[in-house]
Amino acid sequence: MPMMTAALVLLSFVTPLATDMYLPAFPRMTGDLGTDASGVQLTLTSFLIGMGLGQLILGPLSDRFGRRKPILVGSAACVVATALCALTPSLGWLIALRFVQGFTGAAGIVIGRAVISDVATGERAAKLLGILMSLLGVAPAIAPVLGGVVIETAGWRAVFWALAATTLLALAGTLFAVPETLPAGRRRAGGARATARSVREVLADRPYLGHTLCFGMSLAVLFCYLGGASFLFQNLLGLGIGQTSAAFGSVGAVSVIAGLVVTRLVGRFTPQALLRAGLGVMLAGSIALCVLALAGGLNVPVVLALLYVTFVGIGLVSINAAALALERVPHAAGTGSALLGTVQSALSAVAAPLVGLGGAHTAVPMFAGMTLSSVLAVLVLGVAKPSSGAGA
């Protein structure tokens, strides 16, 4: 189990690295590619859309064909797509290739969660998911720092060469450490019609739907931040690329700590209670940031402190909402994991470019988006009330 968890973490590192490592280069890429803030943010949006569709397709396929083959094929294709991103001649090609990179890289996320669901349920699943997600938080903590070094040394294209090498290493780890966890007798037979029926069955479960939407909105908060943070740190707060990387890293480090704390709290408090606490913290931090931006009182220490608070809430919400959703559909873990990730990717893909609509010199759209996403996270959980004893 420790070796398998480590391999899944390494494989899942690809997505947060691919999301965060090139963020410090956004202002530089606008000039290099002849575009504006929203144009560069579309490379993040296309990646998220690809990741969402990839999860929607690869998750159910893993319920039918097993976990091992889809995760290996997807990861191998991701290596190729990532290398091609480094060679892209224009913004249009980069947007297209980022879609392919997201689609193929989705295998590590969606099937990794399904593997955990195969081998654990309840509090144990929540703890394993907490360990996985907290360790994955290392990637957002170090990715912008590493990206800043690579960008300053060799330019933003070198980031994608580094990502290709990392993906190749992750593929090798998966090949040797992740066994098949879905026996033939538990696989779901049938083609597209059977897959559609499985999707309908999963979505018909109100507790699953409520927790999935809540999970998605918590990650939308994250991607509002990711879409606008480089412009916030550099254009509004006056930080250089190195300082921006350090700021990204400090926020990511808080995510790691929050995830580790959650794994300690599971068992002492119910996932439902931790989820409710996380919603309150996430909402409070987002509102405070929005008020600060509207009042024109942005400064580095206060902004970072409030971001830390918000990210503690995101950690509490995302880990527990995911665990509560997946425990509802053990009979279709791949499909459940796919829909969980697809909803998250779709909501995040919408959030990321919207924060740039106000231009590169305002943080109001970014913090307003984070606040709106936090409010919706509370509301969707309330609308889709779980049945007695099943949810938050």
Side-chain angles (χ1 to χ4, degrees):
M1 182 69 74
M3 289 297 294
M4 184 180 74
T5 302
L8 292 175
V9 168
L10 181 60
L11 183 64
S12 298
F13 254 41
V14 171
T15 298
L17 284 176
T19 302
D20 298 338
M21 198 168 173
Y22 80 139
L23 294 179
F26 270 20
R28 183 176 296 185
M29 289 171 67
T30 59
D32 191 18
L33 296 172
T35 185
D36 56 14
S38 290
V40 174
Q41 285 160 341
L42 282 175
T43 65
L44 179 58
T45 297
S46 65
F47 177 82
L48 294 171
I49 292 173
M51 187 170 66
L53 290 175
Q55 291 182 79
L56 188 60
I57 293 172
L58 297 174
L61 281 178
S62 76
D63 282 339
R64 183 181 178 189
F65 296 108
R67 313 299 186 202
R68 186 169 166 82
K69 288 182 181 178
I71 204 170
L72 292 175
V73 172
S75 299
C78 188
V79 174
V80 177
T82 306
L84 290 175
C85 284
L87 301 172
T88 182
S90 66
L91 176 66
W93 274 107
L94 182 58
I95 291 172
L97 288 168
R98 285 282 284 169
F99 173 87
V100 178
Q101 184 190 28
F103 187 96
T104 53
I109 304 171
V110 65
I111 301 175
R113 282 195 301 258
V115 167
I116 288 177
S117 185
D118 288 339
V119 300
T121 58
E123 290 184 359
R124 185 162 179 252
K127 287 184 177 181
L128 284 175
L129 282 169
I131 292 171
L132 182 65
M133 295 179 75
S134 62
L135 290 175
L136 286 178
V138 174
I142 66 173
V145 178
L146 294 175
V149 173
V150 172
I151 293 160
E152 291 281 25
T153 304
W156 63 267
R157 293 177 186 274
V159 168
F160 290 100
W161 288 118
L163 287 171
T166 303
T167 308
L168 184 61
L169 179 63
L171 173 62
T174 304
L175 183 64
F176 292 104
V178 179
E180 178 58 67
T181 59
L182 186 67
R186 290 175 52 197
R187 297 177 189 176
R188 297 173 70 90
R193 185 173 298 178
T195 297
R197 184 169 60 250
S198 177
V199 169
R200 288 195 300 271
E201 289 174 358
V202 169
L203 288 177
D205 188 287
R206 286 175 63 87
Y208 169 85
L209 182 62
H211 291 121
T212 294
L213 290 173
C214 185
F215 171 81
M217 295 313 308
S218 73
L219 272 295
V221 176
L222 168 64
F223 278 91
C224 284
Y225 159 78
L226 292 177
S230 288
F231 300 101
L232 166 70
F233 292 141
Q234 293 180 46
N235 294 348
L236 296 177
L237 298 178
L239 303 183
I241 287 184
Q243 293 171 314
T244 296
S245 299
F248 269 117
S250 69
V251 175
V254 171
S255 296
V256 178
I257 295 169
L260 293 173
V261 169
V262 171
T263 62
R264 294 286 186 180
L265 294 176
V266 171
R268 300 182 184 182
F269 302 94
T270 66
Q272 293 90 341
L274 293 173
L275 174 58
R276 288 192 292 268
L279 287 169
V281 172
M282 184 173 71
L283 181 59
S286 298
I287 290 174
L289 285 164
C290 192
V291 170
L292 189 68
L294 288 169
L298 296 175
N299 62 79
V300 175
V302 175
V303 167
L304 286 178
L306 291 174
L307 284 172
Y308 298 157
V309 171
T310 305
F311 269 69
V312 169
I314 292 173
L316 284 165
V317 174
S318 60
I319 291 171
N320 289 286
L324 288 166
L326 290 176
E327 77 174 12
R328 296 289 305 183
V329 289
H331 56 287
T335 301
S337 178
L339 290 171
L340 190 77
T342 300
V343 168
Q344 173 251 306
S345 296
L347 293 173
S348 300
V350 171
L354 289 180
V355 302
L357 294 180
H361 297 278
T362 176
V364 172
M366 170 186 171
F367 293 141
M370 292 171 66
T371 300
L372 177 61
S373 299
S374 297
V375 170
L376 291 175
V378 176
L379 294 179
V380 295
L381 192 63
V383 170
K385 290 183 178 180
S387 57
S388 178

